Amino acid sequence: MSDTKQAVSYTEYHPRWYRTRVSTWWWLSRWPYLKFILREISSVFIAWFVVLLLLQIRALSRGPLAYAAFEHWLQNPLILLLNLSALFFVTFHAVTWFNLTPRAMVVRFRGKRVADRVIVGTNYAAWAAVSLVLAWVLLRS
Amino acid sequence: MAALVIPVHLFLLGLAFPVGWIAAPGYEYLHALVRSPLTRTYLFALCFLSLFHWAHRFRYTLYDGLQIKHLNEVIFTGCYGGAICGTAVAGYLLWNFR
């Protein structure tokens, strides 16, 4: 047996990896990182929207007086500010998602890859159509 | 789903109606609309999908943003437990809507 060959042995504990500690505030160092975290934070406002919707359904089920109180509560400046922030974040999430769709899904038609701008355009068109239909349903009274 | 339908809902309910940009629909109309089984199914799906969307993304925001992966169990229970509770409340309210 050669002297240069080392014997294989197992250690009981794995040696510690060398990993530099990443700051908790790493996402503040560069704009793309901050944008990523802001986009992720938008999920909190989606949960807030569900709370708002459930409060509306509860008020509707309790009668006209409860619903009038709910509508009055919606006019509170703090709630309006919260809803304005929520709308900003939810729209930011929607726009960044639609712009990302060509990377998330590759669509082929008759053997050729569909252009990115067509996929993005279709998503925006669907967004506009769905928004118009929902607004029409709510406003046709 | 969240990207497609939530902005218009939030714009109308949270801003346009309270500020008075657009006349809000009356109580009778909205009540009749929510009583419809189709609307209730839609609202339940919207709540269910949005809450789990929040739970999943918020969980990873906490992992990546604050690097608190060692609190895995607490975050997992808080996020998905919250989503399950919210979905149950939505189901209760919509099922018993009269």
Side-chain angles (χ1 to χ4, degrees):
Chain A
M1 212 174 198
S2 164
D3 293 341
T4 55
K5 193 171 182 182
Q6 290 185 339
V8 177
S9 62
Y10 294 96
T11 52
E12 193 173 349
Y13 300 105
H14 193 282
R16 286 189 64 180
W17 297 107
Y18 174 69
R19 281 175 181 158
T20 50
R21 176 92 176 87
V22 178
S23 160
T24 307
W25 311 105
W26 60 270
W27 41 275
L28 287 174
S29 63
R30 287 182 64 189
W31 170 237
Y33 298 163
L34 183 62
K35 213 164 86 174
F36 165 75
I37 286 293
L38 285 177
R39 189 180 185 279
E40 293 305 297
I41 287 291
S42 70
S43 69
V44 174
F45 292 100
I46 286 171
W48 162 246
F49 163 72
V50 176
V51 172
L52 204 63
L53 194 62
L54 292 178
L55 288 173
Q56 187 189 24
I57 294 166
R58 192 182 68 157
L60 275 171
S61 71
R62 287 184 173 181
L65 281 177
Y67 192 68
F70 171 75
E71 283 184 315
H72 183 70
W73 175 76
L74 283 177
Q75 290 168 353
N76 181 319
L78 281 177
I79 302 298
L80 278 174
L81 190 67
L82 186 61
N83 286 336
L84 185 67
S85 315
L87 184 65
F88 167 77
F89 277 98
V90 167
T91 309
F92 181 56
H93 165 255
V95 168
T96 47
W97 166 244
F98 293 140
N99 291 344
L100 189 76
T101 44
R103 291 170 207 273
M105 55 182 173
V106 175
V107 182
R108 292 186 186 278
F109 183 69
R110 290 183 180 169
K112 287 183 80 177
R113 186 174 167 171
V114 176
D116 289 0
R117 63 178 189 281
V118 176
I119 298 175
V120 175
T122 310
N123 274 284
Y124 277 103
W127 189 22
V130 168
S131 300
L132 283 173
V133 169
L134 286 172
W136 175 75
V137 169
L138 277 166
L139 298 170
R140 71 189 163 137
S141 60
Chain B
M1 173 80 176
L4 276 176
V5 303
I6 292 180
V8 66
H9 274 297
L10 200 53
F11 171 71
L12 291 173
L13 176 67
L15 276 180
F17 294 156
V19 173
W21 292 336
I22 301 172
Y27 170 81
E28 296 300 332
Y29 174 73
L30 280 181
H31 189 267
L33 191 65
V34 178
R35 275 193 74 180
S36 147
L38 191 67
T39 312
R40 278 195 264 178
T41 310
Y42 163 74
L43 290 173
F44 181 75
L46 181 58
C47 292
F48 166 69
L49 292 172
S50 300
L51 285 171
F52 277 87
H53 171 109
W54 161 77
H56 189 72
R57 283 185 45 215
F58 191 57
R59 177 186 163 205
Y60 284 101
T61 308
L62 292 177
Y63 284 169
D64 297 332
L66 300 179
Q67 297 180 65
I68 43 178
K69 212 159 188 168
H70 56 285
L71 297 175
N72 184 26
E73 284 82 5
V74 181
I75 294 170
F76 187 90
T77 311
C79 290
Y80 291 106
I84 291 168
C85 287
T87 306
V89 171
Y92 175 81
L93 284 174
L94 290 164
W95 185 261
N96 294 302
F97 193 85
R98 296 285 176 267

